Amino acid sequence: MELKRVVVTGLGAISPLGNDVASTWENAKAGVSAAGPITHFDASLFRTKFACEVKNFNPEEHFDRKKARQLDLYAQYAMVAAAQAVNDANLENGPEGAVDKNRVGVIVAAGIGGLHTFEEEAGYYALNADKGPKYNPFFIPKMIADIASGHISMEYGYHGPNYGVVSACASSNNAIIDAFNLIRLGKADIMITGGAEAAIFPAGVGGFNAMHALSTRNESPQTASRPFSKSRDGFVMGEGSAVLVLEELEHALARGAKIYCEVAGGGLSADAHHLTATHPEGLGAILAMRSALDDAGMQPADIDYINVHGTSTPVGDISEVKAIKEVFGQDAYKLNISSTKSMTGHLLGATGALEALFSIKAVQEDIVPPTINHDPEDVDEEIDYNLNFTFDKAQKRTVRAALSNSFGFGGHNATVIVKKFSK
């Protein structure tokens, strides 16, 4: 069976750097840090008091009041990003019959889902347990991690494959790979895919604090996410959504869609090592990257940019660098590498989709966004600084293809490769 080619025809984003793709990408290129004091709740008693929040988001600008009450914040983000992507791809306003809605699917991932809804309902019960259970009828539909996909399909009447993916912080890369495979196997013409997360609430921050996973650099939030620096002390939590429209090439050409790039391949693996820590030698990352390259029919020398998982954790950054050097050999020194989490924070289940978007824009515009917050005196002897980590400033270069890594608790690894489109 000959596999179909898959291209990207639409993008949408609600992120800590901006409430659309244009502002998100411009701020990423400019090296803007989105970190600041938490405003979603009073974090004064928490070990970590800052995060990378979405700014100036008003649900009532996008939904009527009744609809907004039925959606957890993570699903609101997903629906707004999806609306941007659908509009960008011109799926709803094109010629009649150009899009068969029975062959348009939705896979939007979340690592956690409606955590705020769960927290509110659990807290209410704890305070009122003596009165017996009394839960909001929207509790379950607001909380579950697949519901964003369901809402998006209902909004537009898309009857194709529809589900959510949960693999912690690899979730949205998993979603993109699933969507890619469904199209190239002929199961759908178009897939709306990506991820969404909104966990900057007491349970999310408190839970990650209990694991000592978050940075506690409260005196300088904007510089707290510092991948590959010796003094890194944990990740900075982010939130938001990024959504891509993937489309079968001939279908996209037939309806005159604009094409950002081609999806070349995807790779999946498991560390099978530890509940939360990556394999110290990057074993799972090596397997995922090699699998993605093989799936794409590409060699390491074909890749010009890697958007790394790069969470600014002591163990994770080292193991990913080891994996890159193992997979790419001497070609590793010809790459640009960057961690955009230094600017956006870590969007958990949405992080892969946002970083795929950055990779797509890098391929489209031939510019690599930076890794910010690195002090050249703050060096880690276990990291090879002969690699080009794109510190401080974006760099112009031809980006023929970009590889994006996402790794999740449980040992989940997912790698996506995108490349310039040519007929």
Side-chain angles (χ1 to χ4, degrees):
M1 177 183 177
E2 184 177 355
L3 296 176
K4 298 178 182 295
R5 294 172 66 184
V6 181
V7 293
V8 178
T9 57
L11 301 173
I14 294 286
S15 85
L17 289 177
N19 291 351
D20 54 34
V21 172
S23 58
T24 294
W25 177 236
E26 288 304 313
N27 283 324
K29 289 189 293 183
V32 174
S33 172
I38 291 171
T39 65
H40 288 344
F41 68 97
D42 179 3
S44 59
L45 298 180
F46 285 70
R47 290 181 64 238
T48 297
K49 310 178 195 307
F50 62 92
C52 291
E53 295 179 333
V54 169
K55 285 89 173 167
N56 303 313
F57 180 80
N58 180 2
E60 292 186 12
E61 292 179 2
H62 306 281
F63 312 99
D64 63 44
R65 189 168 296 180
K66 179 180 178 181
K67 182 71 172 179
R69 288 199 302 267
Q70 296 173 5
L71 297 167
D72 185 87
L73 184 59
Y74 101 94
Q76 293 176 6
Y77 290 158
M79 290 193 70
V80 174
Q84 293 176 14
V86 166
N87 182 65
D88 188 38
N90 198 32
L91 297 186
E92 294 297 302
N93 300 315
E96 186 175 352
V99 174
D100 179 356
K101 293 191 175 187
N102 290 334
R103 292 186 57 80
V104 181
V106 185
I107 308 174
V108 173
I112 299 174
L115 182 64
H116 184 47
T117 295
F118 183 85
E119 185 177 67
E120 283 188 319
E121 291 293 321
Y124 176 84
Y125 180 72
L127 290 172
N128 298 277
D130 59 321
K131 300 176 184 177
K134 184 179 180 182
Y135 286 90
N136 188 317
F138 289 102
F139 169 38
I140 299 300
K142 285 178 69 174
M143 176 199 71
I144 51 180
D146 68 302
I147 204 65
S149 293
H151 277 295
I152 293 164
S153 71
M154 288 183 277
E155 179 72 17
Y156 300 103
Y158 296 151
H159 293 283
N162 185 279
Y163 55 94
V165 176
V166 178
S167 52
C169 302
S171 296
S172 50
N173 262 12
N174 267 115
I176 292 167
I177 293 168
D178 278 8
F180 169 58
N181 284 328
L182 284 167
I183 294 172
R184 66 177 178 168
L185 289 170
K187 305 297 184 182
D189 297 329
I190 298 171
M191 293 295 297
I192 316 301
T193 189
E197 205 79 270
I200 305 174
F201 292 102
V205 175
F208 282 113
N209 267 162
M211 298 171 62
H212 299 280
L214 297 180
S215 172
T216 56
R217 199 177 293 274
N218 294 300
E219 71 284 359
S220 183
Q222 290 191 318
T223 66
S225 184
R226 47 180 63 198
F228 312 116
S229 295
K230 177 71 171 179
S231 61
R232 63 192 185 279
D233 69 330
F235 73 83
V236 177
M237 193 181 294
E239 63 175 354
S241 176
V243 174
L244 321 177
V245 176
L246 305 191
E247 188 164 354
E248 193 272 323
L249 172 59
E250 296 304 322
H251 189 276
L253 293 174
R255 69 181 190 89
K258 72 172 177 293
I259 295 174
Y260 284 97
C261 68
E262 183 169 357
V263 184
L268 303 169
S269 73
D271 280 354
H273 167 69
H274 188 271
L275 193 64
T276 58
T278 56
H279 190 281
E281 300 302 316
L283 176 62
I286 291 167
L287 292 172
M289 286 189 282
R290 283 181 171 161
S291 177
L293 287 165
D294 182 64
D295 191 41
M298 300 173 78
Q299 299 299 315
D302 297 325
I303 304 296
D304 293 314
Y305 168 49
I306 298 179
N307 188 301
V308 292
H309 189 56
T311 54
S312 189
T313 55
V315 175
D317 288 7
I318 292 171
S319 65
E320 190 170 9
V321 169
K322 288 180 178 179
I324 290 169
K325 292 178 68 174
E326 176 65 25
V327 172
F328 287 86
Q330 288 303 307
D331 289 316
Y333 298 94
K334 303 173 186 177
L335 295 163
N336 272 75
I337 296 165
S338 73
S339 171
T340 46
K341 288 185 181 72
S342 59
M343 298 175 283
T344 67
H346 190 351
L347 275 67
L348 308 177
T351 203
L354 183 59
E355 289 161 14
L357 187 152
F358 289 145
S359 300
I360 290 163
K361 296 298 289 183
V363 166
Q364 182 194 24
E365 295 189 8
D366 289 322
I367 188 166
V368 175
T371 304
I372 66 169
N373 296 329
H374 180 68
D375 179 348
E377 302 299 318
D378 186 21
V379 297
D380 186 330
E381 60 277 4
E382 294 192 65
I383 290 177
D384 183 353
Y385 292 101
N386 291 312
L387 297 169
N388 183 357
F389 290 104
T390 321
F391 285 132
D392 302 322
K393 292 185 179 180
Q395 293 180 14
K396 290 287 291 182
R397 67 165 294 168
T398 299
V399 183
R400 299 165 298 161
L403 179 152
S404 181
N405 284 329
S406 287
F407 312 137
F409 285 177
H412 313 299
N413 306 296
T415 297
V416 171
I417 298 175
V418 296
K419 67 180 182 180
K420 287 190 185 299
F421 168 70
S422 64
K423 292 185 181 180

